[in-house]
Amino acid sequence: MSEAWNRVAGRVPTGLLIGGEWVAGSAGVLEVEDPSTAEAFVEVAAGDESDMLAAVAAAHDAGPAWAATSPRDRAEVLRRAYEAMIEQVDEIATVMVLENGKAYTDAVGEVRYAAEFLRWFSELAAHVHGQSGRAPAGDKRILTNRRPVGVALMVTPWNFPAAMATRKIGPALAAGCTVVLKPAKLTPLTANYVGRLLVEAGVPDGVVNIVTTASAGAPVAAALADDRVRKLSFTGSTEVGRILLEQAARRVVNCSMELGGNAPLVVFDDADIDLAVAGAMVAKMRNAGEACTAANRIYVHEAVAGAFTEELTAAMAAQKVGPGLAEGVEVGPLVDQATRDKVEELVASAVDAGGTIRTGGNRVGERGWFYAPTVISGVEAGSPILGEEIFGPVAPIVTFTSDDEAVAAANDTPFGLAAYVFTGDLARGLNIAERIEAGMVGVNRGLMSDPAAPFGGLKQSGLAREGGTEGLDAYLETQYIAADW
Ligand code: NAP
């Protein structure tokens, strides 16, 4: 066991959280690996369908009392959890690095971001209002109430194990919903840490339940088939999202789906190149490229392509790669072998299609899933690397000559989550942003995520929004009462 794990192990429960108790899993245990060594360092409980249904029952039983608490009480629980998360940034970030691999600075950034969702939704909890007014015909009053949807099933990915949990749990608790969280099997420890903090902050038994699984399909399907589950909030791949939407359709479950992306980053001829490179580094390299918002395709006007490529190549080559907890490391290992192998295949396919590697293009080190920051120029339209999420530290560059060509290329994908535009002319940037089919567009910025802003995608990148006020709406239903007095 590593010294880092010894330092934090006592803070991380390894059971399933059901009805306020940490219990053993009916499917045995699940090993958690450190991606920088590819070695398992701890086991956590693995749940099956029976555990999932026990968690659903606990959430259902706790529902009425939680919905009846005052909004201010719910706000204060969330606020205490926010404060605890901020106090324990280092410990949570360390746990996250150990199971996910990301660089410690990325992990600290994520914990702060995750905590902000708890603060934002604690602030909104006391501001949920219905409306009252006379009908246009004057025959009655129209009253509307906002009420909690009910038991919410949450299925989250490994790439942001803390923030994807709090982005869902925060608004659910604020709205008065109860929760069953199914974290990714690669990163159960961060979720359990967050669960413990919530319990310590005063979340009553059964209001938040966590079921880690070694095999997600059957337990999640069992929950979606259960009449007590009224909400699904899923973040993950479009492929799995489609399966869950079909399952949810059978009982018409309310769905929020945050799915895959394929973000274009477009650099126009009038862009400030230093700013564009700095933005591209953030948009590409946050989490070593393992982000749904990661710049996946970089389109650069031919007039500035030479200067941009040179500067981006230098910045990428200067990144320090190594185990996420080591001093000064900016790029940790990828999360597992499959992710590393997919990155390698996509790079090979780009080279086969005529691309030139400017830096990187290789594994790093003897063990763990490290891959060098990579820039590929001269990538042709239609190359496989432009068609799917790379999920790694690889920047493919394509050149263009006109605004229309850039917009058409940016929109040439079934996905529509994020996009980035760099130009010295704000009006041009805003016009282009409106023409791009993406739920979120950064203009002269490589980072957009903010708990107070609506996060989500168009097209096959998802349904509904998280964060902002929309993120709370997703856990509320509107009831209309017609009355006359
Ligand atoms: P994934 O394979 O779709 O898994 C996501 C979650 O779904 C995990 O908890 C996984 O459990 C579970 N799952 C997998 N197969 C399932 C099934 N048949 N039935 C029920 N649950 C199932 O995605 P990932 O590889 O973890 O995450 C990367 C993807 O998430 C990327 O596409 C990325 O773009 C997307 N993402 C989107 C956003 C957004 O906000 N739009 C944010 C972050 C990530 P196991 O871990 O046990 O397999």
Side-chain angles (χ1 to χ4, degrees), residues 6 16 19 160 168 215 234 243 295 327 451 464:
N6 282 337
L16 311 177
F160 290 98
K168 299 179 190 308
S215 179
F234 172 74
I243 296 171
E327 189 69 29

Side-chain angles (χ1 to χ4, degrees), residues 155-160 164 167 182-186 213-217 220-221 234-238 240-241 243-244 247 258-261 291-292 389 391 417 455 461 466:
V155 180
T156 52
W158 49 264
N159 63 341
F160 290 98
M164 297 305 97
R167 192 163 83 174
K182 203 302 286 173
K185 64 173 179 275
L186 295 177
T213 58
S215 179
V220 170
F234 172 74
T235 298
S237 61
T238 298
V240 173
I243 296 171
L244 300 190
Q247 293 174 4
E258 297 290 347
L259 308 178
C292 54
E389 288 185 294
F391 250 57
L417 187 62
F455 186 109
S461 287
E466 293 191 305

Side-chain angles (χ1 to χ4, degrees), residues 133-197:
R134 285 188 78 200
D139 61 332
K140 60 182 174 304
R141 299 296 208 287
I142 295 173
L143 307 181
T144 61
N145 287 327
R146 318 278 340 263
R147 52 195 231 179
V149 176
V151 174
L153 173 66
M154 303 171 171
V155 180
T156 52
W158 49 264
N159 63 341
F160 290 98
M164 297 305 97
T166 58
R167 192 163 83 174
K168 299 179 190 308
I169 295 173
L173 297 192
C177 296
T178 54
V179 168
V180 177
L181 171 68
K182 203 302 286 173
K185 64 173 179 275
L186 295 177
T187 55
L189 303 174
T190 307
N192 284 355
Y193 199 127
V194 171
R196 184 178 68 75
L197 284 188

